[in-house]
Amino acid sequence: MFFRLLSAVRRQRPGRGWQNRSSGRSSASAAEAHSVALPAQAQVVICGGGIMGTSVAYHLSKMGWKDIVLLEQGRLAAGSTRFCAGILSTARHLTIEQKMADYSNKLYHQLEQETGIQTGYIRTGSVFLAQTQDRLISLKRINSRLNVIGIPSEIISPKKVAELHPLLNVHDLVGAMHVPEDAVVSSADVALALASAASQNGVQIYDRTSVLHVMVKKGQVTGVETDKGQIECQYFVNCAGQWAYELGLSNEEPVSIPLHACEHFYLLTRPLETPLQSNTPTIVDADGRIYIRNWQGGILSGGFEKNPKPIFTEGKNQLEIQNLQEDWDHFEPLLSSLLRRMPDLETLEILKLVNCPETFTPDMRCIMGESPSVRGYFVLAGMNSAGLSFGGGAGRYLAEWMVHGSPSENIWELDLKRFGALQSSRTFLRHRVMEVMPLLYDLKVPRWDFQTGRQLRTSPLYDRLDAQGARWMEKHGFERPKYFVPPDKDLLALEQSKTFYKPDWFEIVESEVKCCKEAVCVIDMSSFTKFEITSTGDQALEVLQYLFSNDLDVPVGHIVHTGMLNQGGGYENDCSVARLSKRSFFMISPTDQQVHCWAWLKKHMPEDSNLLLEDVTWKYTALNLIGPRAVDVLSELSYAPMTPDHFPSLFCKEMSVGYANGIRVMSMTHTGEPGFMLYIPIEYALHVYNEVMSVGQKYGIRNAGYYALRSLRIEKFFAFWGQDLNTLTTPLECGRESRVKLEKGMDFIGRDALLQQKQNGVYKRLTMFILDDHDTDLDLWPWWGEPIYRNGQYAGKTTSSAYSYTLERHVCLGFVHNFSEDTGEEQVVTADFINRGEYEIDIAGHRFQAKAKLYPVTSLFTHKRRKEDVELSDLHGK
């Protein structure tokens, strides 16, 4: 009975279901599947018969692809899908995750009607409890984001919580969030229903068939080798769950899929004396680290403990996931938390403690997308215990990616290419998932950092900067300084005082920003991605002119701000390119674009032995010398004139700095402030840094970090890729028309889309907001993702924000849309539309008035004024 309730049985449904192939091919029952010969070829082979694999098959078949084979090494839905707690929750921190869960909810709701297979779908709603004010703030931030994308939710009182679930102890609560349309469902039955529908659309499904490895030729999937023979195919989809990592490494050309399994525990009880109603809401008590749902009139309750148990690090696994050993000692803290929340359960008989593996990723976000190294190899795995919630939406987006070349939403935060091979060390993964699993329920305040897997990639200056008080953040495995703590500051207090309000590093960053504006600062920016593209003839220029939207046929020594666009005109990459010689170019991109950018270049560059692409990120240390006295420091070190007359803006030259030769000096700072970027061969890094700091003493030099850089670039309206720009953002939507040369004499990717957009108008516009009635000391701070309201109507979200020490106000960047009040459809956004609106930014449910600007308020940066005297009504031209 226990396993039936967990949907571990596969029902036999004559005339329907995955056993009957509606495509007309030979049919086989479950028991006979192992004896049926596999097809010799298919367009797509999917590995994994859980909710992910069946969702991908379902959506591909709905989009018209029929030549699909799904292979499952055991039985359908017999992996982690079988043990899923069955909770469908839309309350997520990331918008893309909210959208995936919302789509899944709608899909599962109608799946029973579509297939005739009962899925156990019950709309129960969810209640998220808050024991602290910080937790309530976190819920309020999520609540405001849910509401604007059409998911009903509200913040409720402890009294209302007790009304929704009378058995709960609410005395320690300060509030909660109620999401009434969340649901519970049998995950295994959902997978079987998806498989049944896919089968009726022509998908062939074979269980008890193991994929041994994927065959690759010239970087392209050509087929799969199974224990039943080979299948030729164009596309392979790895939906192998906890085995996805091992399967990726088994290929002829390995694919890195960083995930790792941990044991996950939940208990089942017998029914209460008065059985719980089937629509009793699910409870998430994150401060208590537990979730609780109704299960057959009793309770199903599990959680995410502080000391998780990683498993299968050595690669051991089971064909079908069997129930692992009970561990009551390990579960005891979660059980105690459950009994505190529901004291009446003390006398209730526990039926079983379930222990099953769940897979987790290094950053708590699932993995989807195409491999950067093998074309046609797609991945959907690593669900961080949210596979049921994400299954429908994730399957849809991956299917769109395969069929149309890209998904309909920006999924960069989930893209496989956000990782590199460096995140695939077994030791790294084991240690990181031990941190990730508790973090699922930990309170995540802005700017928190992972503590495991650190100091993996470091600048040659790391020890020097660390000794001078650097506090570090990590990006793509690279350590980057946030700010530098003066000797008189309390380090422990700074690390522990994490808040949604004004942070303790406020004055530290203020002093760094002031130094950047009045004297000179050094920021180590070695983490930036750096490529060199060279050729024996004109091939490099010809290829780059086709790949980039700006004109790169500039004199040697000039720097061009540009980007690589996709066919829709959206940014695949945002970068600066310096022309080193007639046939050589130096490209600088964001840190986390290293894998994505390389893959995009390799995908579009011709196979030409005379054309060379090299990743030189590791070869150069990058120092950003910012401030009005930077010119004095560099002049003294190089014995060369560095004034604008001799070294104009956006110019690059190899120079000597101190004793070191071959330093690439560029007159730009990524902030809009005066200064220079120094790209230094790593063997000279320490020498150049020491010389810069020594000579700079007389000019007031000091170290600075990325928090100061963020403040400087946002107040100057500098957008960054991955934060403000993405693959669905075009240059015309963010005021970057000057970085596009539509008439440069040759075609480039995305040109046709931009010409069309220029004619039709844009439907969103990146806008700068200056908060008007916001008290920096007392009010909650904006961070990112806050809803923007125009004339009281939702108009978009912020993409990034920072406190401007020049304006003495908060500045947010975000996209404004023009949604029709009647139909909700998007309409053209003009400068007049932006300027005529009255704006508010919603921070955790409280709206603050804001002034909207399409261009930076340049006059405010010529000299410092007090906040009361600042005139914000003047718009200044480009």
Side-chain angles (χ1 to χ4, degrees):
M1 179 60 121
F2 167 68
F3 285 111
R4 180 192 172 283
L5 292 168
L6 281 178
S7 306
V9 298
R10 180 178 52 208
R11 299 175 178 84
Q12 303 294 327
R13 296 183 177 87
R16 295 185 71 89
W18 64 271
Q19 298 95 330
N20 296 287
R21 312 236 163 72
S22 56
S23 61
R25 296 181 176 92
S26 61
S27 175
S29 70
E32 298 166 338
H34 65 280
S35 63
V36 176
L38 299 178
Q41 60 184 34
Q43 183 182 13
V44 183
V45 173
I46 301 169
C47 176
I51 201 161
M52 293 301 148
T54 55
S55 179
V56 172
Y58 171 88
H59 286 95
L60 283 175
S61 67
K62 286 281 187 180
M63 294 177 193
W65 283 20
K66 307 297 183 184
D67 190 12
I68 301 167
V69 171
L70 187 151
L71 304 176
E72 164 55 46
Q73 64 175 347
R75 296 173 299 150
L76 278 187
S80 56
T81 297
R82 160 191 181 185
F83 287 101
C84 175
I87 299 170
L88 198 160
S89 170
T90 53
R92 306 286 167 179
H93 287 279
L94 299 181
T95 298
I96 186 62
E97 292 181 341
Q98 292 173 350
K99 289 182 177 180
M100 288 196 304
D102 187 44
Y103 174 83
S104 297
N105 197 354
K106 293 179 172 66
L107 173 66
Y108 303 162
H109 182 59
Q110 57 86 36
L111 203 55
E112 188 171 320
Q113 181 179 353
E114 178 183 346
T115 64
I117 296 175
Q118 293 182 355
T119 60
Y121 182 96
I122 303 172
R123 184 159 286 171
T124 61
S126 297
V127 179
F128 296 80
L129 309 182
Q131 296 182 29
T132 66
Q133 287 297 332
D134 273 350
R135 178 69 67 180
L136 189 59
I137 290 168
S138 179
L139 292 177
K140 286 179 177 178
R141 288 176 61 86
I142 295 172
N143 179 70
S144 64
R145 297 179 195 181
L146 289 175
N147 287 334
V148 296
I149 64 171
I151 299 175
S153 65
E154 62 174 338
I155 300 298
I156 60 175
S157 66
K159 181 180 178 182
K160 180 65 174 177
V161 173
E163 293 173 5
L164 290 169
H165 202 306
L167 294 179
L168 290 186
N169 172 15
V170 300
H171 79 279
D172 59 344
L173 302 182
V174 297
M177 179 175 69
H178 182 215
V179 187
E181 293 187 0
D182 280 357
V184 297
V185 67
S186 166
S187 54
D189 287 332
V190 166
L192 295 175
L194 291 169
S196 175
S199 178
Q200 291 190 350
N201 282 330
V203 175
Q204 300 180 74
I205 300 176
Y206 297 86
D207 65 1
R208 306 187 188 282
T209 305
S210 296
V211 174
L212 303 179
H213 66 268
V214 177
M215 297 180 290
V216 179
K217 186 175 183 180
K218 294 183 178 179
Q220 170 73 47
V221 168
T222 60
V224 295
E225 180 81 40
T226 79
D227 59 351
K228 308 274 172 55
Q230 292 184 359
I231 306 176
E232 293 181 7
C233 63
Q234 300 167 255
Y235 299 92
F236 176 76
V237 188
N238 185 338
C239 296
Q242 66 164 348
W243 300 292
Y245 173 87
E246 298 286 340
L247 182 57
L249 296 182
S250 71
N251 306 331
E252 295 176 357
E253 188 166 332
V255 173
S256 174
I257 306 169
L259 50 79
H260 195 290
C262 282
E263 297 182 31
H264 179 56
F265 297 86
Y266 61 80
L267 62 77
L268 298 164
T269 76
R270 296 200 182 276
L272 279 69
E273 187 172 330
T274 302
L276 290 176
Q277 297 296 310
S278 60
N279 62 350
T280 301
T282 294
I283 303 297
V284 177
D285 183 2
D287 293 315
R289 316 198 71 84
I290 58 169
Y291 57 81
I292 310 164
R293 59 155 288 194
N294 166 63
W295 183 75
Q296 295 289 306
I299 291 294
L300 183 157
S301 179
F304 299 98
E305 63 274 22
K306 291 184 177 180
N307 56 331
K309 299 168 68 176
I311 49 173
F312 304 148
T313 304
E314 299 83 7
K316 298 174 184 175
N317 54 52
Q318 305 148 296
L319 185 63
E320 291 176 22
I321 299 173
Q322 304 300 324
N323 195 28
L324 300 172
Q325 293 297 310
E326 292 184 347
D327 189 340
W328 283 104
D329 289 339
H330 189 78
F331 189 74
E332 193 277 331
L334 299 182
L335 179 59
S336 297
S337 185
L338 171 63
L339 293 177
R340 282 194 298 273
R341 187 58 57 208
M342 298 182 70
D344 291 348
L345 297 186
E346 287 218 25
T347 59
L348 192 62
E349 183 182 352
I350 294 173
L351 183 62
K352 189 155 189 173
L353 180 64
V354 179
N355 177 4
C356 59
E358 286 273 10
T359 53
F360 299 88
T361 63
D363 60 1
M364 293 187 294
R365 304 198 294 265
C366 73
I367 297 173
M368 70 163 67
E370 187 174 17
S371 161
S373 57
V374 180
R375 294 186 303 278
Y377 192 116
F378 285 82
V379 177
L380 185 56
M383 292 296 132
N384 300 283
S385 203
L388 178 66
S389 296
F390 297 158
R396 171 195 170 191
Y397 290 142
L398 193 77
E400 289 176 347
W401 203 331
M402 296 173 67
V403 174
H404 306 302
S406 62
S408 57
E409 296 282 349
N410 169 43
I411 57 85
W412 167 246
E413 293 166 307
L414 314 177
D415 194 332
L416 171 64
K417 290 185 284 294
R418 72 187 188 272
F419 295 121
L422 58 96
Q423 284 101 349
S424 283
S425 152
R426 290 184 191 269
T427 304
F428 167 81
L429 289 171
R430 180 180 178 88
H431 291 175
R432 176 56 66 86
V433 298
M434 291 175 71
E435 179 183 11
V436 161
M437 189 171 166
L439 275 172
L440 293 177
Y441 274 4
D442 280 352
L443 182 67
K444 289 175 281 294
V445 299
R447 309 279 177 92
W448 58 271
D449 301 296
F450 287 109
Q451 300 304 308
T452 53
R454 298 297 296 270
Q455 300 181 36
L456 187 59
R457 303 173 73 196
T458 60
S459 157
L461 305 178
Y462 178 85
D463 288 339
R464 285 296 307 275
L465 300 181
D466 195 59
Q468 295 178 76
R471 288 296 170 265
W472 301 94
M473 58 194 282
E474 172 257 333
K475 188 86 165 181
H476 201 58
F478 215 117
E479 297 293 331
R480 314 200 305 181
K482 296 188 285 190
Y483 49 79
F484 287 77
V485 181
D488 58 337
K489 284 285 184 179
D490 185 342
L491 307 188
L492 189 62
L494 277 170
E495 289 303 312
Q496 291 183 343
S497 59
K498 298 177 179 178
T499 176
F500 290 103
Y501 292 89
K502 179 181 177 180
D504 277 3
W505 44 256
F506 181 85
E507 285 80 15
I508 294 175
V509 175
E510 180 180 29
S511 64
E512 292 180 5
V513 168
K514 182 180 179 181
C515 189
C516 286
K517 288 183 171 293
E518 298 177 0
V520 58
C521 278
V522 178
I523 304 180
D524 186 345
M525 298 179 65
S526 303
S527 67
F528 270 26
T529 297
K530 299 172 277 288
F531 294 149
E532 285 183 5
I533 304 100
T534 57
S535 62
T536 55
D538 295 332
Q539 301 96 326
L541 177 61
E542 292 170 0
V543 166
L544 296 184
Q545 286 284 65
Y546 175 67
L547 287 175
F548 290 92
S549 59
N550 210 337
D551 189 357
L552 295 185
D553 193 4
V554 294
V556 171
H558 284 241
I559 302 168
V560 177
H561 289 317
T562 183
M564 293 189 286
L565 310 180
N566 52 40
Q567 293 293 348
Y571 277 105
E572 290 290 336
N573 156 272
D574 177 43
C575 65
S576 301
V577 179
R579 190 168 193 179
L580 302 179
S581 69
K582 287 286 186 182
R583 299 167 181 174
S584 178
F585 297 82
F586 186 59
M587 175 179 166
I588 306 142
S589 299
T591 302
D592 54 1
Q593 276 236 315
Q594 188 170 13
V595 176
H596 174 72
C597 191
W598 177 271
W600 186 263
L601 285 166
K602 294 296 286 185
K603 180 178 180 180
H604 292 92
M605 287 175 64
E607 291 289 336
D608 186 342
S609 58
N610 296 314
L611 189 63
L612 176 65
L613 170 66
E614 184 182 4
D615 186 342
V616 295
T617 301
W618 63 276
K619 286 187 176 182
Y620 293 94
T621 296
L623 293 183
N624 196 349
L625 207 58
I626 303 178
R629 306 312 298 267
V631 63
D632 299 308
V633 174
L634 212 50
S635 294
E636 192 167 328
L637 278 170
S638 62
Y639 289 95
M642 301 299 295
T643 60
D645 291 339
H646 298 90
F647 209 109
S649 178
L650 296 180
F651 190 71
C652 172
K653 184 178 180 181
E654 278 204 1
M655 300 175 58
S656 297
V657 178
Y659 298 154
N661 289 317
I663 312 301
R664 291 176 182 171
V665 179
M666 302 185 185
S667 50
M668 65 178 194
T669 63
H670 303 284
T671 63
E673 300 294 331
F676 302 91
M677 287 292 304
L678 278 59
Y679 287 91
I680 309 160
I682 56 171
E683 64 265 34
Y684 300 145
L686 197 56
H687 167 76
V688 172
Y689 173 78
N690 288 339
E691 291 293 299
V692 166
M693 294 302 288
S694 176
V695 170
Q697 290 301 315
K698 70 181 80 166
Y699 302 109
I701 199 167
R702 64 175 291 171
N703 292 297
Y706 273 78
Y707 284 10
L709 184 87
R710 183 185 183 89
S711 176
L712 291 168
R713 71 96 176 168
I714 288 179
E715 71 178 17
K716 288 291 181 72
F717 207 167
F718 274 38
F720 271 22
W721 197 94
Q723 298 174 44
D724 311 296
L725 313 178
N726 59 50
T727 56
L728 299 180
T729 307
T730 75
L732 306 187
E733 294 167 347
C734 56
R736 292 188 168 196
E737 294 89 345
S738 63
R739 299 188 181 190
V740 175
K741 296 296 184 286
L742 293 170
E743 309 304 329
K744 66 179 179 178
M746 67 175 295
D747 192 19
F748 60 86
I749 299 175
R751 181 174 180 271
D752 290 344
L754 294 185
L755 286 170
Q756 191 73 38
Q757 191 175 57
K758 187 175 182 180
Q759 180 179 335
N760 297 340
V762 298
Y763 287 83
K764 62 182 178 184
R765 184 68 185 262
L766 186 65
T767 307
M768 177 178 179
F769 295 95
I770 303 171
L771 296 194
D772 220 10
D773 60 343
H774 183 271
D775 190 317
T776 302
D777 294 321
L778 300 177
D779 290 327
L780 289 168
W781 275 30
W783 297 98
W784 58 272
E786 290 84 12
I788 301 166
Y789 288 88
R790 179 187 181 276
N791 298 343
Q793 183 182 2
Y794 172 65
K797 290 181 183 175
T798 64
T799 52
S800 59
S801 66
Y803 183 80
S804 167
Y805 296 94
T806 308
L807 299 178
E808 297 183 3
R809 302 190 188 186
H810 260 97
V811 176
C812 302
L813 306 185
F815 283 94
V816 172
H817 301 250
N818 181 3
F819 298 112
S820 167
E821 293 187 30
D822 299 324
T823 64
E825 293 182 359
E826 292 198 58
Q827 302 174 113
V828 171
V829 175
T830 62
D832 186 56
F833 176 82
I834 300 288
N835 294 331
R836 284 189 294 105
E838 296 290 330
Y839 293 91
E840 296 171 301
I841 306 295
D842 181 327
I843 306 177
H846 184 91
R847 297 188 189 181
F848 295 90
Q849 294 178 2
K851 293 288 194 303
K853 304 294 173 187
L854 285 173
Y855 308 106
V857 193
T858 53
S859 67
L860 296 177
F861 303 107
T862 57
H863 61 278
K864 190 177 178 74
R865 305 181 189 176
R866 290 198 54 78
K867 178 163 56 177
E868 299 81 20
D869 300 326
V870 172
E871 177 53 54
L872 292 175
S873 60
D874 296 330
L875 267 180
H876 296 264
K878 296 181 185 177

